[in-house]
Structure formats: structure tokens, C-alpha cells
Amino acid sequence: MTAREAVLTALRSARGLPVGEQVTEPIPVLQVEGDPTHAFERNARALLAEVHRTQGWQAAWQHLESLIRARGWQTAATWGASAFPQPGLADVLARSGCRALQPSDWVSADVGITGADAGIAATGTIVLASGPGKPRSVSLLPPVHVALLAESRIVPTIEDWLVVNAQALPQSAGVVFVSGPSRSGDIEMVVTLGVHGPGEVHIVLVCSE
Amino acid sequence: MKPVAKDFIPASRIALADDHLRKAIFAGAMRPYLQAAERWAETSGRERLRTQAREARVRALRKLPELLERLEKNLLSRGAKVLWAADAEEANRLIAQECVARDARLVVKGKSMVTEETGLNQHLERAGMEVVESDLGEFIIQLAGETPSHIIAPVLHKSKDAIAKLFSERLGLPLTDDPAEMMRAARSYLREKFLRADVGISGVNLAVAETGGLVLVTNEGNGRMVTTLPRTHIAVMGLERVVESWKDLASIVQLLPRVATGQSVSTYVSIIHGPRQQGEPDGPEELVLVIVDNGRSAILNSDYAESLLCIRCGACLNACPVYRRVGGHAYGWVYPGPIGSVISPLLLGLAEAPDLPMASSLCGACRDACPVKIDLPEMLVRLRAEPPMRRKGGRMMSLGMKMWRYVMLHPSVYRWGLAATRFLTRPWHGEDGSLRGLPGPASAWLESRDLPAPAPRSFRALYRGPER
């Protein structure tokens, strides 16, 4: 008998929990009050992410350009151009003199630039799903992560997004919910940012014009 | 990790005498947790969420074999490999085999309680591999050659200065009292390890059977590193950590950070559905899931099945007056605090941890704090009555308890007994109204307890009215 069979047999014959406890279908519990976009902004800021509100993609790309100039980022790791809802990234990088690196050099990039598959209003979280043109390490290796999020992709709670996307989830081998910069409180409970992931997260919110 | 759970009483004495430790745990380190827990206790929806999280776990345990098979089937269909281990030794052997087959020299690890339980690191090191813990707390523990003292804050017991000293000895970092600087030193040391590692090993917070997803909840991002950069990812999970659906997962994932650290959400929640898929630019090329029993199916077949609902959040530790005074190391194994007092004896054998079920005042704070409402006090009491435990304290204890029961059931005996006790114990009535220095077996009982001396007039006498 293999370990698999032995374990499953043991589980099948186990007494288990006492019967009698009622179990119901879960219903969403946590709600978002007011306008989801405002809630998203407020909650993302509370997590120490910086939120930049812009009107339309044109303005969003312009804002990204001025951000790159202001911060002096020289090199970038980015998602593929096709992974963004609108073209414009290549121009931004060219105009601001920021070099897009090859994947093998991403570990030394100043900034990682991604889109976002969804935003969660209740917590200020962004959702990134891996896929063609959407490498996971762009939002992980550089010390700064900039994500462009379309306002139309904001949903009220984690639950809303998970339930709607449950069946589509396996299409991405890696989905990650990102809530602000990487943090640790291990040393005497003092919060430090940027332990392994980015210590700085910017969300460029692309609102409908 | 080698269990020393047998020595709770001496270990707790040592811990109690350690002023720094007590201050660190009780005064400083745990305060943010406790405050967060209080804030959260006032939130609307909390009870509803707790109920749903519990129901999600109950449903999962009722369908456990079926859910594990669904999880396996879904993962296999996307090219992952699934292995089963009946015990710790088999888990270690299987994981080592997978590493050796890939000629792995360097293994990076994310946080995993179950591999602490099986002693995986030592096993891989004996097989000649370099094994590096990458959670900041676990990394510090590993450098110091110690064991974690808290389920989610492994270095709760260590002072900043001790960590600075450790880093200067082991990483060559100039002495500093700035945690951020220590963090940066660890970051750059570990960054290089992540990039060179052949295999990443992670735990699994929860798996979702519906689609075969593995969920990891972290704050630092080491969990992402370990499951993204190395060519091979080996995930290790205790067989009870599965839920049926994403709805169920949502209840738990919204609750876990709130009760564990007071955050509304953890920084990273990773959902993994197999190795790198067609067209994906990065991620591991291979995923191996190891499902570990190691005593869990036996617990499911016992009176303590409810303990398998646990989501390892640490809330019961934070709430427990005993844990808060003695810290995690006194418990002598991987799982400290109330949940440890229940599951360590079950996983190790009752005779290996006879004192742990006694390490509780049964105040019920753990049950109130538990997000899935596990009735820990009830289980602690039941464990105390298990055969190997019952003789704890010897014949005098059980004789004393039998006498006490008899007295409490017979009012006239109680009345006479009380009067006799008042008279007989008179020589030992202390100034402060307590009993001091009783002889014989009673001295052992009073050694760690303050017992008031019988009052000059009993309640019954007072109730009858003033003396005439």
C-alpha cells in the first residue's frame, strides 16, 4: 500500500468532527462604504502605497514620465507592451531616457513597471496575474514598483474578485495580491519596508475621462 | 526539530526568571498585536466572518479525503507533481530525493511550520545541501541556531541588540541599533541566495480544492521569491490545510491578517496553480506538492479532531496569560501556546508532553481569540484525563481530588470539614490572611499557589446573621 492510499484510507475511516454542527454557504461580509475608487485610494495610502490619480491613459503616461524624471530612475523592468490596455510605455521610456532592461538584468533595475488586473477597494490591494508578457519578477525584484490601474477594474472586496474569477484563476500559474510595500516587523516589532519585495509602491490610477 | 516538550516545568521556571524575556514578550513586543486585536474586536461583521471561517474549515474536514483528491487531480492536470508522506521521516526523505534528483546545492526556504515539525533542514544539510531560511525572523533564528518562539513572530524573544550582535558576528555588519539597517543587511545577503538557489521550498497557508490552488500569505515577499525565482518549487503542506472553494478561502483570508497581526490585509497573497504555464515568461518550471500526514489522520480519528481547524494565526498565543509570561521556548516544540499544548501531545505522543495540557489556567481567552472558535480549554481538560496524564501528580493528587469531590457532594461533611480545617491549619495562618508553609503533600500544592486561610466566620455563618 502506498503512502497515498494509506493516508486516504485512514482519513476515510476517521471519526472526524462531531456531527450536528450546521454549515451554511458563505455570504460576503465586509462591505465598502461610499465610492469604491475613493475607498481604494484611501486604503492604498493607509498601506503606504502612493496613489496618483490621472484622467485617461494619455495623462497617465505623462504622469509616469514625470515621475521617472523626478525620481531619476535610469533602468526599468517592465511588462510587455501588449500587456497594457493602451500603448504608450515605449514612448514614455524613450522620452524620459529610462532604459528597459533584459530579463536577465532585472535584478539591477531601478523600477519595475506593470499594469494591474484588478484593484480591491476594501483594502487598497492590486491584483497581478502572470501570463504572456506579464512576468512575476517585474513587481518583485526592483526596489520600486509602479503599477498602472484602470479605474474600471476596481471591485469592492477580495471576495467579489475571487468569486467572479474562480474558474479563470488557473489560467495564470501565479496570481499575487499586492497590498503596499514589502514589510517586516520581526525585529522588535519595528516596521521596516522593502525586506525582499519593493519598499516603495506607486499606483497610477487611470480614471475614465 | 527535536522535541523537548517533556521539560515544560523546568523550562518555564527558567523563562520566568528571565526578566528581559518577560519584558520583551509582555510589555513590548506583543502590545501592537493586542491593541490590534482589541480594535478588531469592535468591528462589525467580525462574528459573522468568524462563523464563516469556522464553517469553511468544518466543511473541509468533513470532506477531507475527497478534497485532497480533487486538489491532487487539478494540480496534476497542470503539470505539477504530487507526493504523499505518511510521517515526518517519509516527508524528509521524499523532499531530499526531489532535491538530489535535481542536483540541488542551494535550497531557499519560505516559512513552513510543517517542515519545522519534520526537521527538514537538518535532514537536507546532512545530505550535503546548503539550506537558507528567508523569512527575516526565521533567518535570524537559523543564524543563531535557535528555534522559533512564536508561530508568526519567530524572534519575539530576541532583543534588537542581540540581533545586531549576531549580524556583526555572522554577516560582518557593523554594530547598529537600527532595525532597518539590519533588515537591509539580511536583504542583500538573502537576495544573492534567492538568485542562485536551485530549489525553493515553501509552506502552504491553505490550498483550494475547487481549482487546485495553493495560497501563501506573507508580508516580506520571501514567499514570492521562493516560489518565483528557483527552477523548482517544492510546496509542503499538512494534509488538513485545504478548503473547498474560493468563497471559503475569501472568509479565511480576510480574517487571518486581522487576528494575526491586526492588519486589514497581508502585503502579499500568492495564488499558485502549478508550474510556469505555456507562454509565461517566468516562474518555476517544476512544482512539487508534498502532502504530509505525520499524525494528523490519527487526530481526525480522535476526540481532538477540532484542533485540525487551526489556521496557525497565533492569536491564541497572544491571548494566553501563560504564554505571555513564559514565552514560546518553554513549550519545547514547534507549536507553543494553547494550540501547542493541545497538538504537541497529540502529534508527539502524550507521554512526550505530559505537562503541556496542565500549562493553562483554563481562563478561555484563547477560545475567545481563536478566529475559528476552537474550544481549546475543553480539549485541554479532556487531555488531562487521558491515561498517561492521569497519574501526573501521583497518587496523592488523585486521592486529594477524590476526597474533595466527596466533600463537595455532601453538605454536612463540608460544614464539618471546614470547621476542622480552620482549627487544624491555625498554626500556618500568615499575617496577610494566607496559608504559609503547610507540611507534607500540601506544601507541594501551595508551592505555586496562594491559598487564603479559612475566614474566621464562614459565609454560611454570616448569612445566618450576626452572632448572638
Side-chain angles (χ1 to χ4, degrees):
Chain A
M1 186 142 87
T2 64
R4 178 182 186 276
E5 284 159 21
V7 169
L8 284 169
T9 306
L11 290 177
R12 282 195 194 98
S13 62
R15 276 182 288 159
L17 292 166
V19 288
E21 188 170 338
Q22 288 298 310
V23 174
T24 53
E25 269 298 298
I27 48 161
V29 174
L30 301 179
Q31 306 292 338
V32 176
E33 283 165 31
D35 171 49
T37 309
H38 280 116
F40 175 87
E41 242 183 302
R42 194 177 56 243
N43 291 318
R45 289 206 173 104
L47 296 168
L48 308 177
E50 288 196 40
V51 184
H52 311 260
R53 207 181 239 272
T54 61
Q55 298 298 319
W57 280 94
Q58 203 57 37
W61 291 124
Q62 267 165 13
H63 190 89
L64 177 63
E65 189 182 329
S66 52
L67 196 60
I68 294 173
R69 283 179 200 279
R71 299 296 307 274
W73 295 320
Q74 303 284 310
T75 53
T78 74
W79 277 10
S82 59
F84 292 88
Q86 296 281 331
L89 180 63
D91 292 347
V92 168
L93 294 176
R95 281 201 304 267
S96 55
C98 183
R99 209 154 40 85
L101 297 175
Q102 289 304 308
S104 54
D105 298 326
W106 282 349
V107 68
S108 65
D110 295 332
V111 61
I113 302 170
T114 69
D117 294 87
I120 312 286
T123 50
T125 302
I126 51 176
V127 183
L128 308 169
S130 66
K134 295 158 80 185
R136 301 174 223 189
S137 31
V138 174
S139 60
L140 180 64
L141 291 175
V144 184
H145 172 206
V146 181
L148 286 87
L149 169 68
E151 184 187 24
S152 59
R153 295 189 175 182
I154 292 177
V155 297
T157 68
I158 284 184
E159 214 154 349
D160 293 312
W161 191 84
L162 277 177
V163 170
V164 169
N165 290 282
Q167 295 317 310
L169 271 176
Q171 290 166 13
S172 295
V175 170
V176 63
F177 291 62
V178 177
S179 305
S182 150
R183 65 174 67 212
S184 170
D186 273 335
I187 302 175
E188 285 200 10
M189 300 283 140
V190 179
V191 173
T192 52
L193 300 183
V195 192
H196 295 301
E200 210 183 311
V201 174
H202 296 264
I203 301 166
V204 179
L205 199 53
V206 191
C207 299
S208 36
E209 284 167 278
Chain B
M1 172 172 171
K2 207 170 138 27
V4 282
K6 261 195 163 122
D7 309 326
F8 179 80
I9 289 185
S12 60
R13 286 217 177 95
I14 295 166
L16 284 170
D18 181 341
D19 272 352
H20 165 77
L21 179 75
R22 250 201 358 270
K23 276 203 205 72
I25 297 172
F26 191 52
M30 299 192 75
R31 190 167 298 148
Y33 286 175
L34 299 171
Q35 287 167 338
E38 272 163 34
R39 276 201 308 277
W40 161 236
E42 295 152 12
T43 323
S44 68
R46 171 179 184 261
E47 274 318 295
R48 180 86 215 126
L49 211 49
R50 274 179 91 198
T51 303
Q52 288 192 177
R54 181 182 170 94
E55 289 179 355
R57 296 295 297 135
V58 168
R59 192 192 349 260
L61 288 192
R62 285 190 182 154
K63 301 181 177 178
L64 193 51
E66 176 201 330
L67 295 186
L68 288 170
E69 285 183 294
R70 264 168 80 190
L71 173 71
E72 176 185 49
K73 188 166 154 264
N74 278 321
L75 277 166
L76 291 174
S77 75
R78 282 188 301 277
K81 184 172 179 179
V82 180
L83 302 171
W84 300 68
D87 55 27
E89 188 266 330
E90 185 170 24
N92 290 345
R93 194 166 42 77
L94 288 171
I95 296 165
Q97 267 172 8
E98 294 297 317
C99 292
V100 169
R102 289 162 183 81
D103 200 18
R105 302 278 157 74
L106 173 59
V107 176
V108 283
K109 281 186 73 211
K111 203 162 153 50
S112 153
M113 297 305 287
V114 79
T115 60
E116 294 269 359
E117 194 183 308
T118 65
L120 176 69
N121 292 14
Q122 297 79 347
H123 186 89
L124 295 180
E125 280 163 359
R126 277 199 300 272
M129 285 167 244
E130 183 189 358
V131 184
V132 182
E133 290 285 350
S134 63
D135 171 273
L136 185 56
E138 296 279 351
F139 171 67
I140 292 166
I141 291 284
Q142 191 186 26
L143 277 186
E146 294 175 15
T147 54
S149 63
H150 190 289
I151 293 179
I152 57 165
V155 279
L156 192 65
H157 61 284
K158 269 189 120 52
S159 71
K160 209 160 59 171
D161 301 342
I163 297 168
K165 206 163 150 283
L166 181 72
F167 276 17
S168 89
E169 284 164 14
R170 304 293 307 274
L171 304 181
L173 176 77
L175 279 179
T176 169
D177 64 351
D178 179 8
E181 239 172 275
M182 299 179 214
M183 181 275 285
R184 277 192 293 274
R187 173 188 165 107
S188 63
Y189 177 89
L190 289 167
R191 181 54 69 111
E192 187 266 335
K193 300 284 182 195
F194 287 132
L195 293 166
R196 277 200 306 116
D198 306 297
V199 173
I201 296 180
S202 78
V204 176
N205 283 84
L206 285 164
V208 182
E210 182 182 14
T211 58
L214 307 178
V215 181
L216 263 69
V217 182
T218 68
N219 279 317
E220 298 177 2
N222 63 316
R224 289 181 70 195
M225 292 278 181
V226 165
T227 60
T228 302
L229 298 179
R231 225 185 62 110
T232 307
H233 168 204
I234 301 176
V236 191
M237 73 175 235
L239 58 72
E240 83 284 18
R241 337 234 99 245
V242 61
V243 292
E244 184 171 20
S245 69
W246 288 103
K247 269 189 194 169
D248 285 340
L249 190 276
S251 303
I252 297 172
V253 99
Q254 291 179 94
L255 192 56
L256 179 63
R258 286 187 163 90
V259 293
T261 55
Q263 295 166 280
S264 60
V265 61
S266 301
T267 310
Y268 301 117
V269 178
S270 304
I271 300 173
I272 295 163
H273 274 99
R276 183 193 302 197
Q277 299 296 293
Q278 187 107 46
E280 292 197 348
D282 62 359
E285 289 164 36
E286 300 176 288
L287 170 66
V288 182
L289 174 67
V290 184
I291 298 172
V292 182
D293 182 339
N294 202 29
R296 288 161 172 78
S297 57
I299 295 180
L300 191 66
N301 192 31
S302 73
D303 291 341
Y304 306 96
E306 199 195 351
S307 65
L308 295 172
L309 298 177
C310 174
I311 56 173
R312 303 284 189 264
C313 70
C316 62
L317 282 56
N318 302 342
C320 177
V322 177
Y323 177 88
R324 279 178 2 200
R325 280 161 185 76
V326 302
H329 286 154
Y331 292 81
W333 200 44
V334 187
Y335 305 109
I339 188 67
S341 297
V342 170
I343 63 177
S344 298
L346 296 172
L347 292 170
L348 294 170
L350 300 178
E352 286 300 314
D355 298 327
L356 292 186
M358 294 299 202
S360 164
S361 62
L362 304 179
C363 70
C366 51
R367 185 180 43 205
D368 294 343
C370 177
V372 291
K373 305 188 216 180
I374 299 172
D375 198 345
L376 290 157
E378 163 69 23
M379 284 192 276
L380 289 165
V381 170
R382 217 179 299 156
L383 274 168
R384 291 177 183 188
E386 295 282 351
M389 304 284 179
R390 224 177 326 203
R391 282 184 300 281
K392 190 81 197 119
R395 282 211 308 278
M396 281 316 285
M397 174 76 98
S398 56
L399 184 70
M401 286 292 167
K402 279 203 183 85
M403 279 166 58
W404 177 248
R405 180 166 188 267
Y406 183 84
V407 168
M408 294 308 280
L409 286 170
H410 300 82
S412 57
V413 177
Y414 176 85
R415 221 170 25 245
W416 286 108
L418 196 64
T421 308
R422 184 175 307 127
F423 180 74
L424 292 172
T425 58
R426 195 159 294 167
W428 297 282
H429 288 200
E431 299 277 300
D432 55 353
S434 67
L435 283 172
R436 288 267 177 261
L438 283 176
S443 67
W445 176 261
L446 286 178
E447 189 191 349
S448 55
R449 295 173 179 86
D450 289 328
L451 204 64
R457 295 194 66 214
S458 70
F459 175 78
R460 286 157 170 267
L462 292 170
Y463 188 72
R464 279 197 307 268
E467 271 179 291
R468 290 179 194 86

